[in-house]
Amino acid sequence: GDFNKAILHYSKSLEIYTKIGLKENINVAVTYSKIGFVYDEKEEEEKAMHYFKKALRIDRMLALEYFEKALTMYINIYGENHSDIILLYCNIGLIWKDLKNYKKALQYYHKALSESTTLFGEVHPQTASLYNNLGMVWNDSCQRDSAIENYNKALTILIVYIKKLTRRKPLF
């Protein structure tokens, strides 16, 4: 097909979306993806990746918006202490990590950690997982000492947890 014509039409669609105030909308993300696929067909990988990344960023921002709305609803329904709220904090933290906003990622992972220790205690796989997530954020932000500290906390918690499980008497 006529790749340049397709890119022109998709670009016009983006202009229209911008004019009507839809800069971070699912339709804009889909259009960026379509432009990326056209460039991929043209074997222009750098341009394709540029448009795929733009689409992915919008998708993440939309997901972030929905997770934050869900978080508000869950807090209103269950209060702060609920395992689903921990999961929402983690999902929001992961998106901020992927967007390279490490400060916000740490903020949400720390909220999740606080709730996890309140609900499950310090020696629990969920708590260990959160220390591991914190370690990944610190690692991605080039704070190696903090990353190692959190990875070690996660490992220590899991070792203690497993030892507690193996000390239990058999059921039969």
Side-chain angles (χ1 to χ4, degrees):
D2 191 349
F3 297 128
N4 292 330
K5 197 174 196 177
I7 291 170
L8 179 67
H9 287 293
Y10 289 135
S11 296
K12 285 183 180 183
S13 294
L14 288 173
E15 285 178 32
I16 292 168
Y17 290 135
T18 302
K19 283 181 183 175
I20 61 173
L22 300 176
K23 293 181 182 177
E24 292 197 349
N25 174 286
I26 191 68
N27 295 320
V28 175
V30 168
T31 304
Y32 280 137
S33 291
K34 287 180 179 180
I35 293 172
F37 285 120
V38 173
Y39 278 119
D40 188 52
E41 286 293 318
K42 289 179 68 173
E43 297 182 3
E44 294 183 38
E45 286 81 16
E46 272 188 50
K47 286 184 179 179
M49 286 303 297
H50 170 76
Y51 283 97
F52 288 140
K53 285 179 181 178
K54 288 179 93 152
L56 185 58
R57 184 181 187 293
I58 291 171
D59 287 342
R60 286 181 177 145
M61 294 306 291
L62 291 171
L64 187 62
E65 181 183 328
Y66 291 120
F67 280 134
E68 286 176 343
K69 285 179 181 177
L71 178 62
T72 300
M73 288 189 314
Y74 272 71
I75 289 173
N76 287 337
I77 294 168
Y78 300 113
E80 289 279 336
N81 296 326
H82 193 276
S83 59
D84 288 345
I85 290 172
I86 295 169
L87 181 62
L88 287 166
Y89 282 144
C90 287
N91 288 335
I92 294 169
L94 177 62
I95 293 170
W96 282 121
K97 177 187 160 294
D98 288 346
L99 291 170
K100 298 185 182 352
N101 188 329
Y102 303 119
K103 184 177 179 180
K104 285 209 175 208
L106 289 169
Q107 176 187 346
Y108 280 95
Y109 280 134
H110 278 292
K111 286 181 179 184
L113 180 63
S114 175
E115 294 303 318
S116 180
T117 53
T118 299
L119 282 175
F120 306 117
E122 183 70 25
V123 181
H124 191 275
Q126 176 72 41
T127 306
S129 177
L130 289 163
Y131 277 115
N132 187 66
N133 291 351
L134 285 164
M136 288 189 294
V137 175
W138 286 116
N139 186 57
D140 287 359
S141 64
C142 300
Q143 302 291 321
R144 302 293 185 248
D145 291 341
S146 294
I148 291 169
E149 178 185 335
N150 281 276
Y151 290 142
N152 283 334
K153 283 181 184 178
L155 182 60
T156 301
I157 290 168
L158 288 174
I159 289 169
V160 171
Y161 184 79
I162 291 170
K163 283 182 180 178
K164 284 173 78 174
L165 286 178
T166 56
R167 281 191 224 136
R168 291 185 179 167
K169 293 183 181 182
L171 295 174
F172 303 99

